[in-house]
Amino acid sequence: MSAANTITYREAMREAIREALRRDDRVFLMGEDVGAYGGCFAVSLGLLEEFGPERVRDTPLSEAAFVGAGIGAALGGMRPIVEIMTVNFSLLALDQILNNAATLLHMSGGQLNVPLVIRMTTGAGRQLAAQHSHSLEGWYAHIPGLRILAPATVEDARGMLWPALEDPDPVLIFEHGSLYGVSGQPGPGQVDITSAALRRSGKDVTLIAYGGTTGKALAAADVLSAEGTEADVVDLRVLRPLDDATIMESVGRTHRAVIVDEGWRSGGLSAEIGIRIAEQAFYQLDAPIQRVCTAEVPIPYARHLEEAALPQVPSIVAAAREAVAS
Amino acid sequence: MRRQDEAEDLVQLLTPEGERVVHPGYDLDLPKSQYRGLYRDMTLVRRLDREAFALQRLGELGMWIPCLGQEAAQIGSGRALEPDDHVFPSYREHGVAWCRGIPPLTLMGMLRGTTNGGWDPRHTGFHLYTIVLGVQTLHAVGYAMGMRRDGDSSAVVAYFGDGAASEGDVSEAFNFAAVYNAPVVFFCQNNQWAISQPVDRQSRAPIHHRARGYGFPGVRVDGNDVLACLAVTRAALEHARRGDGPFLIEAHTYRMGPHTTSDDPGRYRPAEEVEEWQRKDPIARMRAFLLREELADDAFFREVDEEGDRLALELREGVISMPDPPVDAMFDHVYTGRHTLLEEERAWYAAYLDRFEEPRA
């Protein structure tokens, strides 16, 4: 990989927004601290200067208001990109997202679609404590009417936004906070937003991950490879609708599955994936499905406790070993 | 430029130069020692705040949320409270915590990750810090309604900021308190900035004007004037205790530091604005007043500074020697009692750790 072509995940996302703003004057970005400050995670740095305050709009601290206004603008023909600082704050806009954006098409008998993109940071690992570290993308993946994306690579960070804006229905993009500084190649610019991707091929076990845990799963695959176990790593990319085919194809070859999810285990996305494997590939399995999830506690603030609570490379390796051993 | 009119009625008892001025609606006459006490409070709180900031930079605290510049708003209002009053703070009220007798080391233990609590709100009349913006205003209203029902004639103060004022919860708390006539003083520290957003991005009209729409009084006070903050909060608490319902105070102050130790205000606000507010500093103002009125001498100021140095040293040593909680402490406070899922997780985690012990043994 040529270093000259690499950019960070943050820059890739910024480039994607910039391209969208240039390409379509119906697109605008709106959210807390997105303008003068360049976003709390510096994604939109420089965009206010380039596009002006009409198209890069700093908002009051009113999540329900700016998501609701985004829905209104989308209904009126605009293509809003609404940034919610973190998934935790999206709870204040949950009524707008679930009861409005996701249901207006249905409630209008198909007359009103909502071409809205909502981006938000998700996940833990930055010592932000229990109220700022959730991984609730699995919840959103529960909701009919929404498309849920979880870019794990620089290429996906660069390429998912435009097709999301072209989607006539609301799309939520979850950006794991630990990824912004990760470097990689942005690729040609657009990617599909329908399928999962096989990030590494191996014959012994399938590691299924997404977003912030994809990198950890790949690192775990390296550790496993050194001890003679070759892992397939499936990056889900799209959490709703799930790409069952890619998952089942992989499990069909390896006969062992480890699901890695930074969400909680009980009632979570990992449970959904696990039951789909049981439904569709039960007779392919040679071992019980393993799950590596966040401990069933509010995310601790103290660094050592937080690290212990989250899926980590050693815990993924341990689960894979268990799957392979049985 | 601010859209808010700076010439708007502002309760002030002390000019930035430390000159005592008269306000027709609010007055204050304190024993000499109390004037000195307010200065001491503000100076020590600033000292502990700076010490905590430094400890975060040294990696001893995960984060700190500085109150630099807001000492008058916090000490003035905090010293207006009676022991039975109850406070619902946000996360920056180290000065109010000080007035309620919360040991500063306890605040720092929370930001170090040693504990998520640390003091008993029932005994201190000071609720635990609230991280989620504005939610505590609703909690305060419910608490106040409960107090009334119990026949308690105390009052509740809910602290929040200009940024939180944009959250729906705060508007709903205003309305709820008004229709139930709850004894709540809403104390908004308008420190002009919500991370990078200036107050004119939060509100077109002055925040205290909102009270009128809900049917209760709203007053703007010079938040860098400790005497005015004390006088207005006392009056507001009296109003609430008398049964006249809620009261909104907007303390016009300035966040001299960053939002937290995680941002750099140099990226989003002009240095001239900070310098302008430097000239309105609450502690310098009180010091000028004490000297002007001959209420204190150099020996007193020296003593307070020395006390601050001792406090800082104590805090530094105390923070550094705090133990890290054991890893399975994360399972402790998810449910009140034993819980099967948590026991399962705890056992799984212990077994998981044991696996790593094997190769070493």
Side-chain angles (χ1 to χ4, degrees), chain A residues 33 37 58 60-63 265 295-297 301 304 308 314-315 318, chain B residues 63 111 166-167 196-197 201-202 263 267 325 330 345 349 352 355:
Chain A
D33 297 298
Y37 192 40
D58 278 319
L61 308 193
S62 305
E63 288 77 5
R265 189 166 44 109
E296 304 248 348
V297 302
Y301 166 72
H304 67 299
S315 55
Chain B
M63 177 185 266
L111 275 299
S166 300
E167 295 288 7
S196 77
Q197 295 302 295
R201 180 58 59 179
Q202 305 299 340
D263 64 300
R267 266 177 56 195
M330 69 179 167
E345 292 258 312
Y349 197 77
Y352 170 70
R355 276 190 237 179

PDB file of all heavy atoms in Angstrom, chain A residues 33 37 58 60-63 265 295-297 301 304 308 314-315 318, chain B residues 63 111 166-167 196-197 201-202 263 267 325 330 345 349 352 355:
ATOM      1  N   ASP A  33     -21.676  21.699  16.999  1.00  0.00           N
ATOM      2  CA  ASP A  33     -20.227  21.960  16.866  1.00  0.00           C
ATOM      3  C   ASP A  33     -19.657  21.545  15.511  1.00  0.00           C
ATOM      4  O   ASP A  33     -18.450  21.391  15.375  1.00  0.00           O
ATOM      5  CB  ASP A  33     -19.441  21.253  17.988  1.00  0.00           C
ATOM      6  CG  ASP A  33     -19.803  21.758  19.375  1.00  0.00           C
ATOM      7  OD1 ASP A  33     -19.579  22.951  19.640  1.00  0.00           O
ATOM      8  OD2 ASP A  33     -20.335  20.967  20.189  1.00  0.00           O
ATOM      9  N   TYR A  37     -16.102  24.736  14.990  1.00  0.00           N
ATOM     10  CA  TYR A  37     -15.182  23.826  15.684  1.00  0.00           C
ATOM     11  C   TYR A  37     -14.751  22.675  14.777  1.00  0.00           C
ATOM     12  O   TYR A  37     -13.796  21.969  15.058  1.00  0.00           O
ATOM     13  CB  TYR A  37     -15.893  23.288  16.931  1.00  0.00           C
ATOM     14  CG  TYR A  37     -15.017  22.564  17.929  1.00  0.00           C
ATOM     15  CD1 TYR A  37     -13.743  23.026  18.229  1.00  0.00           C
ATOM     16  CD2 TYR A  37     -15.477  21.430  18.582  1.00  0.00           C
ATOM     17  CE1 TYR A  37     -12.950  22.374  19.158  1.00  0.00           C
ATOM     18  CE2 TYR A  37     -14.703  20.769  19.519  1.00  0.00           C
ATOM     19  CZ  TYR A  37     -13.435  21.247  19.796  1.00  0.00           C
ATOM     20  OH  TYR A  37     -12.653  20.593  20.715  1.00  0.00           O
ATOM     21  N   ASP A  58     -24.211  25.046  12.406  1.00  0.00           N
ATOM     22  CA  ASP A  58     -24.130  24.774  13.842  1.00  0.00           C
ATOM     23  C   ASP A  58     -25.517  24.920  14.444  1.00  0.00           C
ATOM     24  O   ASP A  58     -26.227  25.879  14.153  1.00  0.00           O
ATOM     25  CB  ASP A  58     -23.192  25.791  14.507  1.00  0.00           C
ATOM     26  CG  ASP A  58     -21.728  25.397  14.367  1.00  0.00           C
ATOM     27  OD1 ASP A  58     -21.432  24.204  14.521  1.00  0.00           O
ATOM     28  OD2 ASP A  58     -20.897  26.284  14.129  1.00  0.00           O
ATOM     29  N   PRO A  60     -28.329  24.633  17.938  1.00  0.00           N
ATOM     30  CA  PRO A  60     -28.462  24.577  19.396  1.00  0.00           C
ATOM     31  C   PRO A  60     -28.370  23.121  19.874  1.00  0.00           C
ATOM     32  O   PRO A  60     -28.499  22.191  19.065  1.00  0.00           O
ATOM     33  CB  PRO A  60     -29.859  25.136  19.659  1.00  0.00           C
ATOM     34  CG  PRO A  60     -30.209  25.903  18.430  1.00  0.00           C
ATOM     35  CD  PRO A  60     -29.518  25.213  17.296  1.00  0.00           C
ATOM     36  N   LEU A  61     -28.185  22.927  21.167  1.00  0.00           N
ATOM     37  CA  LEU A  61     -28.078  21.575  21.715  1.00  0.00           C
ATOM     38  C   LEU A  61     -29.480  20.982  21.853  1.00  0.00           C
ATOM     39  O   LEU A  61     -30.024  20.896  22.944  1.00  0.00           O
ATOM     40  CB  LEU A  61     -27.382  21.602  23.079  1.00  0.00           C
ATOM     41  CG  LEU A  61     -26.040  22.338  23.157  1.00  0.00           C
ATOM     42  CD1 LEU A  61     -25.343  22.010  24.470  1.00  0.00           C
ATOM     43  CD2 LEU A  61     -25.150  22.018  22.001  1.00  0.00           C
ATOM     44  N   SER A  62     -30.055  20.623  20.742  1.00  0.00           N
ATOM     45  CA  SER A  62     -31.456  20.170  20.726  1.00  0.00           C
ATOM     46  C   SER A  62     -31.583  19.032  19.732  1.00  0.00           C
ATOM     47  O   SER A  62     -31.960  19.245  18.583  1.00  0.00           O
ATOM     48  CB  SER A  62     -32.379  21.301  20.289  1.00  0.00           C
ATOM     49  OG  SER A  62     -32.221  22.430  21.089  1.00  0.00           O
ATOM     50  N   GLU A  63     -31.283  17.825  20.182  1.00  0.00           N
ATOM     51  CA  GLU A  63     -31.233  16.698  19.252  1.00  0.00           C
ATOM     52  C   GLU A  63     -32.570  16.458  18.572  1.00  0.00           C
ATOM     53  O   GLU A  63     -32.635  16.239  17.363  1.00  0.00           O
ATOM     54  CB  GLU A  63     -30.761  15.431  19.973  1.00  0.00           C
ATOM     55  CG  GLU A  63     -29.284  15.444  20.342  1.00  0.00           C
ATOM     56  CD  GLU A  63     -28.954  16.292  21.564  1.00  0.00           C
ATOM     57  OE1 GLU A  63     -29.884  16.815  22.223  1.00  0.00           O
ATOM     58  OE2 GLU A  63     -27.756  16.429  21.871  1.00  0.00           O
ATOM     59  N   ARG A 265     -24.602  -8.473  25.131  1.00  0.00           N
ATOM     60  CA  ARG A 265     -24.955  -9.784  24.600  1.00  0.00           C
ATOM     61  C   ARG A 265     -26.469 -10.017  24.618  1.00  0.00           C
ATOM     62  O   ARG A 265     -27.061 -10.426  23.624  1.00  0.00           O
ATOM     63  CB  ARG A 265     -24.241 -10.852  25.453  1.00  0.00           C
ATOM     64  CG  ARG A 265     -24.299 -12.262  24.937  1.00  0.00           C
ATOM     65  CD  ARG A 265     -23.269 -13.119  25.675  1.00  0.00           C
ATOM     66  NE  ARG A 265     -23.280 -12.858  27.111  1.00  0.00           N
ATOM     67  CZ  ARG A 265     -23.746 -13.706  28.032  1.00  0.00           C
ATOM     68  NH1 ARG A 265     -24.214 -14.872  27.663  1.00  0.00           N
ATOM     69  NH2 ARG A 265     -23.727 -13.389  29.314  1.00  0.00           N
ATOM     70  N   ALA A 295     -19.168  -6.670  28.389  1.00  0.00           N
ATOM     71  CA  ALA A 295     -19.714  -7.134  29.669  1.00  0.00           C
ATOM     72  C   ALA A 295     -21.063  -6.458  29.921  1.00  0.00           C
ATOM     73  O   ALA A 295     -21.262  -5.302  29.522  1.00  0.00           O
ATOM     74  CB  ALA A 295     -18.747  -6.799  30.800  1.00  0.00           C
ATOM     75  N   GLU A 296     -21.953  -7.174  30.577  1.00  0.00           N
ATOM     76  CA  GLU A 296     -23.332  -6.667  30.740  1.00  0.00           C
ATOM     77  C   GLU A 296     -23.405  -5.658  31.884  1.00  0.00           C
ATOM     78  O   GLU A 296     -24.115  -5.846  32.881  1.00  0.00           O
ATOM     79  CB  GLU A 296     -24.284  -7.843  30.986  1.00  0.00           C
ATOM     80  CG  GLU A 296     -24.199  -8.871  29.873  1.00  0.00           C
ATOM     81  CD  GLU A 296     -25.448  -8.970  29.028  1.00  0.00           C
ATOM     82  OE1 GLU A 296     -26.481  -8.405  29.416  1.00  0.00           O
ATOM     83  OE2 GLU A 296     -25.383  -9.609  27.974  1.00  0.00           O
ATOM     84  N   VAL A 297     -22.631  -4.619  31.708  1.00  0.00           N
ATOM     85  CA  VAL A 297     -22.571  -3.546  32.717  1.00  0.00           C
ATOM     86  C   VAL A 297     -22.562  -2.212  31.973  1.00  0.00           C
ATOM     87  O   VAL A 297     -22.188  -2.166  30.806  1.00  0.00           O
ATOM     88  CB  VAL A 297     -21.287  -3.671  33.588  1.00  0.00           C
ATOM     89  CG1 VAL A 297     -21.222  -5.020  34.271  1.00  0.00           C
ATOM     90  CG2 VAL A 297     -20.014  -3.470  32.762  1.00  0.00           C
ATOM     91  N   TYR A 301     -15.872   3.927  33.601  1.00  0.00           N
ATOM     92  CA  TYR A 301     -15.085   5.111  33.246  1.00  0.00           C
ATOM     93  C   TYR A 301     -13.591   4.866  33.430  1.00  0.00           C
ATOM     94  O   TYR A 301     -12.784   5.272  32.585  1.00  0.00           O
ATOM     95  CB  TYR A 301     -15.563   6.277  34.108  1.00  0.00           C
ATOM     96  CG  TYR A 301     -14.673   7.499  34.129  1.00  0.00           C
ATOM     97  CD1 TYR A 301     -14.583   8.339  33.018  1.00  0.00           C
ATOM     98  CD2 TYR A 301     -13.957   7.838  35.266  1.00  0.00           C
ATOM     99  CE1 TYR A 301     -13.787   9.468  33.047  1.00  0.00           C
ATOM    100  CE2 TYR A 301     -13.163   8.966  35.301  1.00  0.00           C
ATOM    101  CZ  TYR A 301     -13.082   9.786  34.189  1.00  0.00           C
ATOM    102  OH  TYR A 301     -12.296  10.911  34.231  1.00  0.00           O
ATOM    103  N   HIS A 304      -8.808   0.953  33.118  1.00  0.00           N
ATOM    104  CA  HIS A 304      -8.576  -0.499  33.181  1.00  0.00           C
ATOM    105  C   HIS A 304      -9.885  -1.280  33.224  1.00  0.00           C
ATOM    106  O   HIS A 304      -9.975  -2.392  32.718  1.00  0.00           O
ATOM    107  CB  HIS A 304      -7.663  -0.861  34.361  1.00  0.00           C
ATOM    108  CG  HIS A 304      -8.261  -0.626  35.714  1.00  0.00           C
ATOM    109  ND1 HIS A 304      -8.652   0.619  36.161  1.00  0.00           N
ATOM    110  CD2 HIS A 304      -8.541  -1.482  36.725  1.00  0.00           C
ATOM    111  CE1 HIS A 304      -9.145   0.512  37.384  1.00  0.00           C
ATOM    112  NE2 HIS A 304      -9.092  -0.744  37.751  1.00  0.00           N
ATOM    113  N   ALA A 308     -11.376  -3.854  30.317  1.00  0.00           N
ATOM    114  CA  ALA A 308     -11.820  -5.197  30.697  1.00  0.00           C
ATOM    115  C   ALA A 308     -13.241  -5.473  30.225  1.00  0.00           C
ATOM    116  O   ALA A 308     -13.604  -6.617  29.956  1.00  0.00           O
ATOM    117  CB  ALA A 308     -11.721  -5.367  32.205  1.00  0.00           C
ATOM    118  N   PRO A 314      -7.391 -10.426  22.791  1.00  0.00           N
ATOM    119  CA  PRO A 314      -7.228 -11.707  23.508  1.00  0.00           C
ATOM    120  C   PRO A 314      -8.547 -12.437  23.767  1.00  0.00           C
ATOM    121  O   PRO A 314      -8.585 -13.670  23.726  1.00  0.00           O
ATOM    122  CB  PRO A 314      -6.574 -11.299  24.834  1.00  0.00           C
ATOM    123  CG  PRO A 314      -5.966  -9.963  24.573  1.00  0.00           C
ATOM    124  CD  PRO A 314      -6.830  -9.300  23.560  1.00  0.00           C
ATOM    125  N   SER A 315      -9.630 -11.689  24.018  1.00  0.00           N
ATOM    126  CA  SER A 315     -10.890 -12.400  24.286  1.00  0.00           C
ATOM    127  C   SER A 315     -11.468 -12.980  22.993  1.00  0.00           C
ATOM    128  O   SER A 315     -12.136 -14.020  23.010  1.00  0.00           O
ATOM    129  CB  SER A 315     -11.901 -11.506  25.017  1.00  0.00           C
ATOM    130  OG  SER A 315     -12.128 -10.310  24.323  1.00  0.00           O
ATOM    131  N   ALA A 318      -9.397 -16.090  22.404  1.00  0.00           N
ATOM    132  CA  ALA A 318      -9.815 -17.144  23.338  1.00  0.00           C
ATOM    133  C   ALA A 318     -11.094 -17.824  22.863  1.00  0.00           C
ATOM    134  O   ALA A 318     -11.220 -19.060  22.904  1.00  0.00           O
ATOM    135  CB  ALA A 318      -9.996 -16.565  24.729  1.00  0.00           C
TER     136      ALA A 318
ATOM    137  N   MET B  63     -10.369  12.979  33.294  1.00  0.00           N
ATOM    138  CA  MET B  63     -10.924  14.204  32.719  1.00  0.00           C
ATOM    139  C   MET B  63     -11.143  15.190  33.857  1.00  0.00           C
ATOM    140  O   MET B  63     -11.262  14.801  35.011  1.00  0.00           O
ATOM    141  CB  MET B  63     -12.268  13.863  32.055  1.00  0.00           C
ATOM    142  CG  MET B  63     -13.006  15.057  31.481  1.00  0.00           C
ATOM    143  SD  MET B  63     -14.629  14.561  30.844  1.00  0.00           S
ATOM    144  CE  MET B  63     -14.184  14.281  29.142  1.00  0.00           C
ATOM    145  N   LEU B 111     -13.695  11.710  39.078  1.00  0.00           N
ATOM    146  CA  LEU B 111     -13.069  11.957  37.771  1.00  0.00           C
ATOM    147  C   LEU B 111     -11.831  11.084  37.557  1.00  0.00           C
ATOM    148  O   LEU B 111     -11.313  11.001  36.460  1.00  0.00           O
ATOM    149  CB  LEU B 111     -12.721  13.442  37.630  1.00  0.00           C
ATOM    150  CG  LEU B 111     -13.822  14.393  37.130  1.00  0.00           C
ATOM    151  CD1 LEU B 111     -14.287  13.985  35.727  1.00  0.00           C
ATOM    152  CD2 LEU B 111     -15.031  14.465  38.029  1.00  0.00           C
ATOM    153  N   SER B 166     -31.067  24.708  25.775  1.00  0.00           N
ATOM    154  CA  SER B 166     -31.692  24.382  24.487  1.00  0.00           C
ATOM    155  C   SER B 166     -32.335  23.007  24.481  1.00  0.00           C
ATOM    156  O   SER B 166     -33.049  22.669  23.545  1.00  0.00           O
ATOM    157  CB  SER B 166     -30.657  24.421  23.362  1.00  0.00           C
ATOM    158  OG  SER B 166     -30.096  25.696  23.259  1.00  0.00           O
ATOM    159  N   GLU B 167     -32.015  22.188  25.471  1.00  0.00           N
ATOM    160  CA  GLU B 167     -32.580  20.838  25.506  1.00  0.00           C
ATOM    161  C   GLU B 167     -34.046  20.906  25.927  1.00  0.00           C
ATOM    162  O   GLU B 167     -34.423  21.700  26.799  1.00  0.00           O
ATOM    163  CB  GLU B 167     -31.795  19.943  26.477  1.00  0.00           C
ATOM    164  CG  GLU B 167     -30.351  19.685  26.066  1.00  0.00           C
ATOM    165  CD  GLU B 167     -30.205  18.748  24.862  1.00  0.00           C
ATOM    166  OE1 GLU B 167     -31.224  18.384  24.254  1.00  0.00           O
ATOM    167  OE2 GLU B 167     -29.048  18.404  24.548  1.00  0.00           O
ATOM    168  N   SER B 196     -18.103  24.661  21.564  1.00  0.00           N
ATOM    169  CA  SER B 196     -17.677  25.698  20.621  1.00  0.00           C
ATOM    170  C   SER B 196     -18.803  26.659  20.242  1.00  0.00           C
ATOM    171  O   SER B 196     -18.587  27.566  19.452  1.00  0.00           O
ATOM    172  CB  SER B 196     -17.139  25.041  19.351  1.00  0.00           C
ATOM    173  OG  SER B 196     -18.215  24.577  18.539  1.00  0.00           O
ATOM    174  N   GLN B 197     -19.986  26.433  20.804  1.00  0.00           N
ATOM    175  CA  GLN B 197     -21.123  27.233  20.349  1.00  0.00           C
ATOM    176  C   GLN B 197     -21.399  28.417  21.271  1.00  0.00           C
ATOM    177  O   GLN B 197     -21.701  28.243  22.448  1.00  0.00           O
ATOM    178  CB  GLN B 197     -22.376  26.361  20.257  1.00  0.00           C
ATOM    179  CG  GLN B 197     -22.259  25.284  19.198  1.00  0.00           C
ATOM    180  CD  GLN B 197     -21.982  25.885  17.834  1.00  0.00           C
ATOM    181  OE1 GLN B 197     -22.801  26.594  17.271  1.00  0.00           O
ATOM    182  NE2 GLN B 197     -20.781  25.636  17.297  1.00  0.00           N
ATOM    183  N   ARG B 201     -26.099  31.085  19.565  1.00  0.00           N
ATOM    184  CA  ARG B 201     -26.533  29.915  18.805  1.00  0.00           C
ATOM    185  C   ARG B 201     -27.532  29.092  19.631  1.00  0.00           C
ATOM    186  O   ARG B 201     -28.201  28.209  19.109  1.00  0.00           O
ATOM    187  CB  ARG B 201     -25.313  29.076  18.403  1.00  0.00           C
ATOM    188  CG  ARG B 201     -25.606  27.839  17.614  1.00  0.00           C
ATOM    189  CD  ARG B 201     -26.346  28.093  16.327  1.00  0.00           C
ATOM    190  NE  ARG B 201     -25.625  28.988  15.429  1.00  0.00           N
ATOM    191  CZ  ARG B 201     -26.054  29.343  14.226  1.00  0.00           C
ATOM    192  NH1 ARG B 201     -27.204  28.874  13.785  1.00  0.00           N
ATOM    193  NH2 ARG B 201     -25.360  30.161  13.469  1.00  0.00           N
ATOM    194  N   GLN B 202     -27.627  29.378  20.912  1.00  0.00           N
ATOM    195  CA  GLN B 202     -28.576  28.656  21.768  1.00  0.00           C
ATOM    196  C   GLN B 202     -29.884  29.417  21.931  1.00  0.00           C
ATOM    197  O   GLN B 202     -30.928  28.823  22.113  1.00  0.00           O
ATOM    198  CB  GLN B 202     -27.989  28.429  23.176  1.00  0.00           C
ATOM    199  CG  GLN B 202     -26.644  27.733  23.215  1.00  0.00           C
ATOM    200  CD  GLN B 202     -26.659  26.343  22.625  1.00  0.00           C
ATOM    201  OE1 GLN B 202     -27.708  25.713  22.505  1.00  0.00           O
ATOM    202  NE2 GLN B 202     -25.499  25.852  22.216  1.00  0.00           N
ATOM    203  N   ASP B 263     -10.978  19.722  25.143  1.00  0.00           N
ATOM    204  CA  ASP B 263     -11.058  20.636  23.997  1.00  0.00           C
ATOM    205  C   ASP B 263     -10.142  21.841  24.182  1.00  0.00           C
ATOM    206  O   ASP B 263      -9.712  22.152  25.281  1.00  0.00           O
ATOM    207  CB  ASP B 263     -12.508  21.089  23.763  1.00  0.00           C
ATOM    208  CG  ASP B 263     -13.057  21.891  24.925  1.00  0.00           C
ATOM    209  OD1 ASP B 263     -13.102  21.346  26.042  1.00  0.00           O
ATOM    210  OD2 ASP B 263     -13.411  23.061  24.730  1.00  0.00           O
ATOM    211  N   ARG B 267      -9.346  27.243  19.504  1.00  0.00           N
ATOM    212  CA  ARG B 267      -9.804  26.927  18.152  1.00  0.00           C
ATOM    213  C   ARG B 267     -11.135  27.574  17.802  1.00  0.00           C
ATOM    214  O   ARG B 267     -11.511  27.604  16.636  1.00  0.00           O
ATOM    215  CB  ARG B 267      -9.950  25.409  17.995  1.00  0.00           C
ATOM    216  CG  ARG B 267      -8.707  24.771  17.425  1.00  0.00           C
ATOM    217  CD  ARG B 267      -8.836  23.274  17.330  1.00  0.00           C
ATOM    218  NE  ARG B 267      -9.985  22.822  16.563  1.00  0.00           N
ATOM    219  CZ  ARG B 267     -10.438  21.578  16.587  1.00  0.00           C
ATOM    220  NH1 ARG B 267      -9.830  20.670  17.321  1.00  0.00           N
ATOM    221  NH2 ARG B 267     -11.485  21.209  15.878  1.00  0.00           N
ATOM    222  N   PRO B 325      -9.831   0.568  41.491  1.00  0.00           N
ATOM    223  CA  PRO B 325     -10.737  -0.519  41.900  1.00  0.00           C
ATOM    224  C   PRO B 325     -10.384  -1.833  41.185  1.00  0.00           C
ATOM    225  O   PRO B 325      -9.860  -1.795  40.067  1.00  0.00           O
ATOM    226  CB  PRO B 325     -12.109  -0.019  41.468  1.00  0.00           C
ATOM    227  CG  PRO B 325     -11.865   1.077  40.503  1.00  0.00           C
ATOM    228  CD  PRO B 325     -10.516   1.645  40.771  1.00  0.00           C
ATOM    229  N   MET B 330     -16.587  -3.755  38.152  1.00  0.00           N
ATOM    230  CA  MET B 330     -17.543  -3.291  37.139  1.00  0.00           C
ATOM    231  C   MET B 330     -18.874  -4.050  37.205  1.00  0.00           C
ATOM    232  O   MET B 330     -19.877  -3.568  36.684  1.00  0.00           O
ATOM    233  CB  MET B 330     -16.940  -3.382  35.736  1.00  0.00           C
ATOM    234  CG  MET B 330     -16.727  -4.772  35.211  1.00  0.00           C
ATOM    235  SD  MET B 330     -16.050  -4.660  33.538  1.00  0.00           S
ATOM    236  CE  MET B 330     -15.515  -6.341  33.289  1.00  0.00           C
ATOM    237  N   GLU B 345     -21.570 -13.484  34.414  1.00  0.00           N
ATOM    238  CA  GLU B 345     -20.521 -12.684  33.777  1.00  0.00           C
ATOM    239  C   GLU B 345     -19.274 -12.617  34.659  1.00  0.00           C
ATOM    240  O   GLU B 345     -18.159 -12.707  34.178  1.00  0.00           O
ATOM    241  CB  GLU B 345     -21.040 -11.264  33.545  1.00  0.00           C
ATOM    242  CG  GLU B 345     -22.126 -11.186  32.522  1.00  0.00           C
ATOM    243  CD  GLU B 345     -21.629 -10.687  31.177  1.00  0.00           C
ATOM    244  OE1 GLU B 345     -20.924  -9.672  31.136  1.00  0.00           O
ATOM    245  OE2 GLU B 345     -21.928 -11.349  30.167  1.00  0.00           O
ATOM    246  N   TYR B 349     -15.708 -14.023  33.665  1.00  0.00           N
ATOM    247  CA  TYR B 349     -14.545 -13.158  33.579  1.00  0.00           C
ATOM    248  C   TYR B 349     -13.387 -13.706  34.413  1.00  0.00           C
ATOM    249  O   TYR B 349     -12.232 -13.696  33.980  1.00  0.00           O
ATOM    250  CB  TYR B 349     -14.889 -11.723  33.998  1.00  0.00           C
ATOM    251  CG  TYR B 349     -13.826 -10.768  33.525  1.00  0.00           C
ATOM    252  CD1 TYR B 349     -13.788 -10.373  32.190  1.00  0.00           C
ATOM    253  CD2 TYR B 349     -12.842 -10.311  34.386  1.00  0.00           C
ATOM    254  CE1 TYR B 349     -12.782  -9.546  31.721  1.00  0.00           C
ATOM    255  CE2 TYR B 349     -11.829  -9.479  33.923  1.00  0.00           C
ATOM    256  CZ  TYR B 349     -11.810  -9.098  32.590  1.00  0.00           C
ATOM    257  OH  TYR B 349     -10.813  -8.284  32.132  1.00  0.00           O
ATOM    258  N   TYR B 352     -11.948 -16.507  32.574  1.00  0.00           N
ATOM    259  CA  TYR B 352     -11.212 -15.986  31.411  1.00  0.00           C
ATOM    260  C   TYR B 352      -9.812 -15.517  31.843  1.00  0.00           C
ATOM    261  O   TYR B 352      -8.811 -15.829  31.206  1.00  0.00           O
ATOM    262  CB  TYR B 352     -12.011 -14.841  30.790  1.00  0.00           C
ATOM    263  CG  TYR B 352     -11.289 -14.059  29.731  1.00  0.00           C
ATOM    264  CD1 TYR B 352     -11.004 -14.630  28.491  1.00  0.00           C
ATOM    265  CD2 TYR B 352     -10.897 -12.743  29.962  1.00  0.00           C
ATOM    266  CE1 TYR B 352     -10.345 -13.907  27.521  1.00  0.00           C
ATOM    267  CE2 TYR B 352     -10.236 -12.015  28.995  1.00  0.00           C
ATOM    268  CZ  TYR B 352      -9.960 -12.593  27.770  1.00  0.00           C
ATOM    269  OH  TYR B 352      -9.299 -11.874  26.813  1.00  0.00           O
ATOM    270  N   ARG B 355      -7.340 -18.276  32.506  1.00  0.00           N
ATOM    271  CA  ARG B 355      -6.726 -18.884  31.318  1.00  0.00           C
ATOM    272  C   ARG B 355      -5.367 -18.262  31.035  1.00  0.00           C
ATOM    273  O   ARG B 355      -4.463 -18.913  30.550  1.00  0.00           O
ATOM    274  CB  ARG B 355      -7.603 -18.632  30.106  1.00  0.00           C
ATOM    275  CG  ARG B 355      -8.710 -19.614  29.969  1.00  0.00           C
ATOM    276  CD  ARG B 355      -9.346 -19.397  28.600  1.00  0.00           C
ATOM    277  NE  ARG B 355     -10.746 -19.126  28.800  1.00  0.00           N
ATOM    278  CZ  ARG B 355     -11.599 -18.873  27.820  1.00  0.00           C
ATOM    279  NH1 ARG B 355     -11.176 -18.801  26.583  1.00  0.00           N
ATOM    280  NH2 ARG B 355     -12.860 -18.670  28.086  1.00  0.00           N
TER     281      ARG B 355
END
